[in-house]
Amino acid sequence: MTGVLASQQLHALTSAGAIIAQAPYAEGQVQPASLDLRLGARAWRVRASFLAGAGRTVAERLQEFEMHQIDLTQGAVLEKGCVYVVELQESLALPNDIQAVANAKSSTGRLDLLTRTITDGGEEFDRVPAGYRGPLYAEICPRSFSVLVRPGMRLNQIRFRSGQATLSDADLRSLHATIPLVDGSEPLIDDGLGFSVDLRPKDSTLVGYRAKPHTGVIDLDKLGHYAPEDFWEEVRSKTGQIILDPGAFYILVSNEAVCIPPDYAAEMSPYLAMVGEFRVHYAGFFDPGFGYAPAGGSGSRGVLEVRCHESPFVLEHGQIVGRLVYERMSETPADLYGTGIASNYQGQGLKLSKHFKS
């Protein structure tokens, strides 16, 4: 068994006791190549972000950094600019040949809600070593909007893999020759599949959205509820370029429509730090079937969550901003993204999170 584990294998891991859930899985919690993680009932406001470190537990470190404990049972607001640690309802007892990597869900990233998984003994965010046995926690830092959360909400997700399954550039070229991974021009393949930003959309000058600095609270249970203009400024361009402001958060979209075939999964990675003073995409998992035409995904773009760093930066149409790293699946998932499951972003273009009205 080599590769990223599919949904049916995640159910098998759960039955074998390698994934321990406090309650039966909710509908849609098991995705084609990942498992959504649910918030538990307890949260801690902490002074600073931290990792447990070798030989230490998160519970021990909380005694050092805790400011106060929060009961989420009736709902609680996580305030913009603060750091919280929340226990998760899932824990792990992994076999010695299975490791895991976590990431924020797409809707979480589109709210600029920095969410990372931490573990006992952990020396990296979002990385779970093979054979790990212990609890999981989410570190949550709302960066643009304060949010209302409750137990059971799913802000991050975890993907399990066995062995090394990353495709080489030669493998990617061969796969693209069989199933086109991007539409249009010849793909840029260099340590993954490069993708660029679209700042010249057809029939519009709207190229993205910028988060407003002073807004109300977003209740994460309310879908299609909020008026975009209450939280976002439209970003328009007639020239194919925009200037990113330091500290500002933007929603943009890739110039390419991308495809993840059924037997593969992908993860978005930054391109190179040298290409500009910005970070692209907090939520990096692309499930099998995303953008795949038989699964209803023809024309699916990658939504880019962009934060500018120290200095203003000119971003231009077609500029390479990130790359997709493809991995083989261990098995073909029982269900593909967009086929028979609730997939919010299949066939998407420029789109805010599911909490906002269309």
Side-chain angles (χ1 to χ4, degrees):
M1 183 175 66
T2 300
V4 175
L5 273 58
S7 53
Q8 63 271 22
Q9 294 172 295
L10 300 184
H11 284 296
L13 277 183
T14 305
S15 297
I19 305 173
I20 303 106
Q22 293 180 10
Y25 290 143
E27 182 179 356
Q29 187 177 350
V30 179
Q31 296 291 315
S34 61
L35 172 70
D36 293 349
L37 299 172
R38 296 172 291 188
L39 300 183
R42 290 189 299 170
W44 294 262
R45 166 80 191 279
V46 293
R47 291 185 287 123
S49 171
F50 68 88
L51 289 163
R56 306 196 64 178
T57 67
V58 174
E60 291 171 352
R61 303 311 301 270
L62 280 170
Q63 295 178 20
E64 297 178 50
F65 300 113
E66 172 188 354
M67 296 177 69
H68 59 88
Q69 191 172 143
I70 304 166
D71 182 359
L72 302 184
T73 306
Q74 302 301 316
V77 173
L78 306 186
E79 296 185 24
K80 171 183 170 180
C82 300
V83 183
Y84 302 86
V85 172
V86 183
E87 62 182 0
L88 296 174
Q89 293 186 25
E90 287 74 33
S91 56
L92 301 176
L94 294 180
N96 291 330
D97 61 343
I98 294 179
Q99 59 182 301
V101 60
N103 216 317
K105 288 177 61 64
S106 185
S107 293
T108 306
R110 294 181 201 209
L111 292 174
D112 198 19
L113 193 56
L114 182 60
T115 303
R116 303 184 287 192
T117 301
I118 54 177
T119 64
D120 289 348
E123 297 180 290
E124 292 182 278
F125 291 108
D126 289 333
R127 297 294 185 268
V128 183
Y132 175 77
R133 293 174 173 266
L136 299 172
Y137 299 83
E139 179 197 275
I140 303 171
C141 180
R143 311 218 30 207
S144 289
F145 313 116
S146 296
V147 294
L148 178 63
V149 300
R150 301 177 183 84
M153 286 182 171
R154 290 132 57 180
L155 304 188
N156 54 345
Q157 56 193 346
I158 191 165
R159 180 173 282 179
F160 299 85
R161 60 168 63 92
S162 178
Q164 175 55 255
T166 302
L167 270 65
S168 67
D169 287 349
D171 293 332
L172 270 180
R173 292 188 185 96
S174 177
L175 178 60
H176 177 73
T178 304
I179 303 175
L181 302 179
V182 294
D183 63 350
S185 61
E186 188 67 18
L188 172 64
I189 294 178
D190 182 11
D191 286 336
L193 179 70
F195 59 88
S196 62
V197 62
D198 183 8
L199 297 179
R200 289 188 185 276
K202 295 179 180 178
D203 306 319
S204 177
T205 59
L206 179 66
V207 299
Y209 299 91
R210 169 179 160 155
K212 289 186 173 182
H214 308 291
T215 67
V217 173
I218 294 176
D219 183 337
L220 297 184
D221 270 341
K222 293 184 176 180
L223 307 183
H225 177 78
Y226 296 99
E229 60 269 22
D230 291 339
F231 294 84
W232 301 94
E233 300 169 354
E234 291 185 349
V235 178
R236 294 184 176 271
S237 174
K238 297 179 180 179
T239 63
Q241 66 176 218
I242 60 174
I243 298 177
L244 303 178
D245 289 329
F249 178 73
Y250 299 83
I251 296 293
L252 305 174
V253 69
S254 73
N255 191 37
E256 301 82 7
V258 299
C259 172
I260 315 297
D263 292 323
Y264 300 87
E267 184 173 355
M268 188 179 284
S269 298
Y271 190 58
L272 285 172
M274 290 84 78
V275 302
E277 289 294 326
F278 59 90
R279 168 182 171 162
V280 173
H281 216 87
Y282 295 107
F285 286 164
F286 285 70
D287 272 324
F290 179 87
Y292 183 58
S298 181
S300 295
R301 308 287 188 95
V303 166
L304 311 175
E305 297 131 17
V306 178
R307 176 171 290 280
C308 186
H309 296 321
E310 287 85 1
S311 59
F313 184 78
V314 176
L315 197 60
E316 302 193 67
H317 175 75
Q319 183 169 341
I320 300 296
V321 294
R323 58 197 170 101
L324 285 179
V325 177
Y326 281 70
E327 295 182 282
R328 292 181 179 85
M329 295 294 298
S330 174
E331 295 180 4
T332 303
D335 294 300
L336 297 179
Y337 189 90
T339 303
I341 61 174
S343 301
N344 291 293
Y345 304 117
Q346 185 72 297
Q348 71 180 357
L350 177 64
K351 187 175 182 180
L352 296 172
S353 78
K354 60 188 178 182
H355 307 91
F356 296 96
K357 297 175 182 177
S358 299

